[in-house]
């Protein structure tokens, strides 16, 4: 970009001897591998240590952190799942994230479709206020939101959490799908109309199936975002029976801080991470593609 | 919602816009497709934001119906609140350091993957690099709270793996060092955890951006004798400039939040409030102390700092030449 013609001429004069370059190239490749392996180790080692520790007894955890577990104590997992309530939090999370995901995908697709393909007064205003909803920090809204839910008697309930998740995931979903619906050719809409399909039918039988690739990407994003959600449940869902995984983990860890059961704590971490990690490894190609498609925009 | 609703037919909109008859199908369609999502959005997102602006001007405690308008008193009080100001400083520090280190690391790793391969003529990607990409991406699928918890355990003195490893390699001084319990290292250690969580995601984004560059550009640079380092700095970087800017804004906003990470690593704000961030302070002020008016004022400040940050990044990018490219495009 910044290279001028003069620079370029200078470089041509300086061009390397062939052969020398290939050895240099191999050197670079080796260095690159070493650096990347180091980084990979930095990522993997804490995870491996967590898995190993999840099989240890509390004495072993408090003893030598580098030692291997004496035997595989699956009882830690049983303890985490039942006594520490991770099983219950897991179920809650699956319910909340599952419902919120389905709802936000339907509502988001409908809203994006209308905003992208119909002209009416206020269209732009709605679209831009949704964009603004993306940029404002949730923290600004959290206190009034608490009272909105309280007044609707939705505070500390799973439906309350679901609808809040949906509302805050909506702007991103609409923003992302807007371009997908915009890109669909207008002839298809007209063909559907001529064939006698109403607006509802046109959307569900024609338009929605065509936006499938976009829907898949957004669904992945939303799933990870909702599974990861921490602030909303911590502020709006304080009944411990309704805890989702992330807040259950936090409260379990703060109890474990007083030396309760370290093996179970590590087991709880593994239970939380493992399902998503396994799904990621299976679908990593698609996931990376959709993350790239979404992020570059 | 208004009667003159007309489908616009996408990119090639028809020249003549016809008014369609208002049938039950059309009316129910608009009410459900636009009305329903908008109702949810307005009730749970827009209204809390608007209410926040009002509450921040009152002395509301949240549990009494009594609420006095106090004007900008809350804001004046905030500027004299040492603990809050400390939190603001911590947040600003995070918003500067975390994005820079994350981006430099992610760019370096992405560059190594894409143009680190051996060969002379063309610039080749590294062989078997898929493995690194998959592994680096792990942290992105791990919930942030869990990342924090894992590292909190790694950093724990005597039972954590870090001190154990350090003493193993002969650094006996670290045998019982509390990384998160010492005001000197609590913040750097927390920053490290956030960076660890972010790098893989941005690495994948940058790899995609670099792969999107026309390979002939690289070839031309190589034929002209540019080394790999020079290629990366004077070619790749300017070409993916917009991606870097977007990454900086996202990372900065994440660093201005940082709530989850800090809550996992040091729920109390760290030794001498060294890792306290605005959201944590806001949360305690609201839900533990019941000073809702005062805490929403903190929210407004947080929003203002976030906007200011984004504005700053965009103008720096524009001033340092980002505008040239847009014109040339």
């Amino acid at each position: 970009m910044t290279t001028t013609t003069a620079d370029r001429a200078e470089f041509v004069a300086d061009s390397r001897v062939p052969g020398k370059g290939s050895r240099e190239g191999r050197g670079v490749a080796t260095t690159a591998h070493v650096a990347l392996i180091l980084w990979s180790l930095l990522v993997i080692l804490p995870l491996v240590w967590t898995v190993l520790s999840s099989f240890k007894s509390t004495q072993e955890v408090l003893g030598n952190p580098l030692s291997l577990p004496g035997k595989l104590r699956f009882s830690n997992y049983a303890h985490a799942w039942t006594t520490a309530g991770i099983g219950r939090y897991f179920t809650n999370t699956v319910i909340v994230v599952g419902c919120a995901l389905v709802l936000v995908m339907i509502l988001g697709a409908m809203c994006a479709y209308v905003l992208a393909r119909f002209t009416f007064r206020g269209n732009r205003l709605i679209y831009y206020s949704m964009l603004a909803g993306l940029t404002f920090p949730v923290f600004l809204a959290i206190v009034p939101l608490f009272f909105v839910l309280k007044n609707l008697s939705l505070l500390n309930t799973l439906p309350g959490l679901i609808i809040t998740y949906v509302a805050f995931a909506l702007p991103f979903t609409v923003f992302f799908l807007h371009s997908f619906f915009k890109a669909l050719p207008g002839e298809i809409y007209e063909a559907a109309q001529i064939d006698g399909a109403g607006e509802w039918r046109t959307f569900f039988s024609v338009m929605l199936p065509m936006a499938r690739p976009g829907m898949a990407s957004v669904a992945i994003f939303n799933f990870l975002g909702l599974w990861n959600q921490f602030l909303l449940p911590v502020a709006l869902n304080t009944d411990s029976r309704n805890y989702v995984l992330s807040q259950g983990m936090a409260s379990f860890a703060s109890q474990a801080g007083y030396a309760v059961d370290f093996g179970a704590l590590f087991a709880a971490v593994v239970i939380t991470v493992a399902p998503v990690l396994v799904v990621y490894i299976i679908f990593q190609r698609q996931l990376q593609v959709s993350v790239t498609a979404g992020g570059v925009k | 919602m208004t009667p003159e609703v007309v489908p616009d037919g996408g990119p090639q909109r028809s020249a003549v816009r016809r008014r369609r008859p208002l049938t039950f199908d059309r009316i129910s369609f608009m009410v459900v497709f636009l009305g329903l999502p908008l109702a949810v959005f307005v009730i749970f997102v827009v209204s809390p934001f608007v209410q926040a602006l009002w509450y921040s001007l009152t002395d509301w405690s949240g549990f009494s119906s009594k609420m006095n308008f106090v004007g900008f008193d809350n804001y004046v009080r905030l500027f004299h609140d040492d603990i809050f100001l400390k939190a603001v400083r911590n947040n600003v520090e995070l918003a500067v350091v975390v994005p820079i280190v994350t981006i430099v690391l992610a760019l370096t790793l992405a560059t190594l993957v894409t143009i680190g391969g051996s060969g002379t003529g063309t610039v080749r990607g590294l062989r078997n690099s898929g493995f690194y990409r998959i592994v680096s991406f792990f942290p992105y699928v791990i919930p942030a709270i869990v990342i924090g918890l894992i590292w909190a355990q790694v950093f724990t003195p005597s039972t954590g793996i870090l001190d154990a490893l350090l003493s193993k390699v002969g650094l006996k001084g670290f045998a019982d060092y509390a990384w998160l319990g010492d005001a000197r290292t609590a913040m750097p250690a927390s920053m490290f955890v956030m960076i660890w969580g972010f790098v893989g995601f941005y690495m994948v984004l940058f790899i995609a951006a670099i792969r999107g560059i026309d390979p002939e550009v690289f070839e031309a640079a190589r034929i002209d004798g540019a080394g790999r380092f020079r290629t990366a700095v004077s070619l790749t970087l300017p070409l993916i400039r917009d991606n870097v800017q977007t990454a900086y804004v996202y990372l900065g906003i994440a660093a201005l939040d940082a709530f989850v990470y800090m809550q996992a690593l040091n729920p109390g704000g760290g030794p001498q409030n060294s890792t306290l961030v605005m959201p944590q302070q806001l949360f305690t002020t609201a839900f533990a102390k019941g000073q809702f008016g005062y805490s929403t004022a903190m929210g407004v400040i947080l929003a203002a700092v976030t906007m200011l940050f984004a504005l700053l990044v965009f103008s720096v990018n524009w001033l340092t030449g980002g505008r040239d490219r847009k014109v040339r495009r």
Side-chain angles (χ1 to χ4, degrees), chain B residues 64-120:
Chain B
S64 63
S65 52
K66 203 167 71 76
M67 187 195 302
N68 300 313
F69 180 79
V70 294
F72 289 98
D73 280 8
N74 284 330
Y75 294 95
V76 175
R77 210 173 122 200
L78 273 179
F79 282 102
H80 294 97
D81 184 338
D82 287 338
I83 297 179
F84 183 72
L85 291 179
K86 174 75 184 163
V88 175
R89 267 199 299 278
N90 286 340
N91 266 131
V92 170
E93 210 175 294
L94 279 167
V96 173
V97 177
V98 171
I100 290 181
V101 179
T102 308
I103 287 175
V104 168
L105 249 171
L107 261 180
T108 311
L109 294 173
T111 310
L112 289 179
V113 168
T114 45
I115 59 178
S118 50
T120 34

Side-chain angles (χ1 to χ4, degrees), chain A residues 1 8 11 24 29 33 42 65 117 119 121 139 143 147 186 189 193 199-200 203 228 280 287-288 291-292, chain B residues 4 6-9 20 25-26 28 33 62 116 132-134 137 143-144 159 196 201 208 224 228 279 292 328:
Chain A
M1 232 47 245
R8 215 169 276 167
F11 270 106
E24 175 233 299
H33 274 296
L42 192 60
R117 304 196 64 90
T119 42
R121 219 179 287 159
F139 271 96
V143 171
F147 291 98
Y189 173 84
Q193 296 280 302
E199 300 291 355
W200 285 76
F203 176 75
N228 213 340
Y280 162 65
L287 195 134
Q288 292 200 349
V291 163
T292 319
Chain B
E4 65 262 56
V6 168
D8 81 0
R20 302 260 178 162
D25 178 59
R26 302 190 64 79
S28 66
F33 274 54
Y132 304 125
R133 235 182 33 220
I134 297 172
F137 205 67
T159 61
W196 185 87
F201 178 78
D224 288 355
R228 281 191 176 74
F292 285 91
R328 224 178 286 171

